[in-house]
Amino acid sequence: MTADRWTPSDTNCLVGVIDLLDGRAVHAIAGKRDDYRPIRFCDGNPQSLAQYYFTVGVTALYVADLSSIRQHTLQFDLVCALVETGVPIWLDLGWDGHGNKRSSEVFHAVGSLATFSNTRFIAATESCRDTNALSKLADVAGHQRTYLGLDYRSGELLGVVPEERTWLESANETNIAGCVILDLAAVGTQQGPATEQICKRVHKTAPELKLVSGGGVRSPEDAKALQTAGCDHILVATALFP
């Protein structure tokens, strides 16, 4: 499945995924980050990948700084270059709400990037130390530009607080914009979306949240299934690659 199978009406809801690792845009497959390799058709160049997405009709981006998420170095200049494209962009920079040196680096990055009106920021369960991290991000980025990231692996919620409902209650109390739902085992596999039932459940529990999800999406039909499950935006990468 490549981009030529998607019509303009299909791409309206799509968000192009860019996973950054050690300065390159990498092909994420099944959450096995040690095996991620630069995307071949763009030679791992993040800006080239973003421009490719734009040429096939995608007008929003999701960027995960995997180096920062893995507790290494924040790739601030690369992230900035993608933010400066001006399109709506969801950023997972490994926010954890903690007070150590690396967390301080992420804190300052969020504060700087929040000056761009097109940015949205994710506090993901994989990274957060506790549910208070969500309100701390909202205080820095703004409540309506903050998203809870619900990270799963094969249907099991990742993080130190493993109860989905607890996170959704915190999201409601914090009055944030929405939720990004991912199952890492499904990303890049083109085996169909694994989050459809989770999205239905979250949408029923917290209908006020805007939902973004993807992973395993193969086709416009998969994207429509996630929309039917309550998603406003669909994350996609491999299904659009040439």
Side-chain angles (χ1 to χ4, degrees):
M1 179 67 65
T2 56
D4 58 2
R5 295 290 301 275
W6 300 77
T7 68
S9 63
D10 294 329
T11 57
N12 284 341
C13 68
L14 298 186
V15 178
V17 174
I18 301 179
D19 288 307
L20 299 176
L21 183 63
D22 299 332
R24 312 300 288 168
V26 295
H27 193 176
I29 300 178
K32 299 176 181 178
R33 290 171 180 160
D34 289 338
D35 297 332
Y36 289 4
R37 297 292 180 267
I39 296 171
R40 290 184 180 179
F41 79 87
C42 65
D43 196 29
N45 185 295
Q47 290 96 329
S48 295
L49 178 56
Q51 290 303 317
Y52 171 77
Y53 282 138
F54 302 152
T55 64
V56 299
V58 174
T59 57
L61 297 173
Y62 162 94
V63 175
D65 185 339
L66 299 180
S67 294
S68 185
I69 290 169
R70 298 180 80 181
Q71 305 287 309
H72 298 155
T73 303
L74 178 70
Q75 301 169 100
F76 184 74
D77 289 344
L78 277 180
V79 172
C80 261
L82 295 168
V83 168
E84 288 172 352
T85 62
V87 302
I89 186 167
W90 282 261
L91 299 173
D92 184 349
L93 305 180
W95 178 274
D96 63 11
H98 200 50
N100 59 28
K101 182 178 180 181
R102 196 201 67 81
S103 299
S104 178
E105 181 184 32
V106 175
F107 176 92
H108 289 296
V110 170
S112 176
L113 293 167
T115 62
F116 293 86
S117 62
N118 59 314
T119 52
R120 296 102 164 94
F121 299 90
I122 300 166
T125 60
E126 179 188 17
S127 300
C128 291
R129 300 299 181 93
D130 53 43
T131 58
N132 291 331
L134 197 56
S135 61
K136 290 177 182 177
L137 178 57
D139 288 342
V140 179
H143 290 249
Q144 289 307 299
R145 291 162 70 185
T146 295
Y147 281 69
L148 165 65
L150 289 175
D151 293 325
Y152 299 81
R153 187 182 296 278
S154 300
E156 187 168 328
L157 186 64
L158 301 177
V160 295
V161 181
E163 293 82 24
E164 179 185 287
R165 182 169 289 276
T166 301
W167 284 105
L168 292 176
E169 288 171 352
S170 181
N172 180 59
E173 292 167 1
T174 309
N175 191 32
I176 62 169
C179 183
V180 178
I181 302 170
L182 283 172
D183 192 310
L184 299 183
V187 298
T189 63
Q190 289 196 285
Q191 294 180 354
T195 59
E196 186 176 349
Q197 294 306 314
I198 299 170
C199 291
K200 287 180 179 179
R201 185 171 66 238
V202 171
H203 182 60
K204 182 177 180 180
T205 303
E208 71 283 357
L209 294 177
K210 296 176 183 176
L211 298 189
V212 183
S213 190
V217 171
R218 302 161 295 187
S219 64
E221 290 72 26
D222 284 344
K224 287 175 177 133
L226 287 173
Q227 285 183 295
T228 300
C231 289
D232 299 277
H233 301 282
I234 312 302
L235 301 173
V236 66
T238 310
L240 292 178
F241 290 173

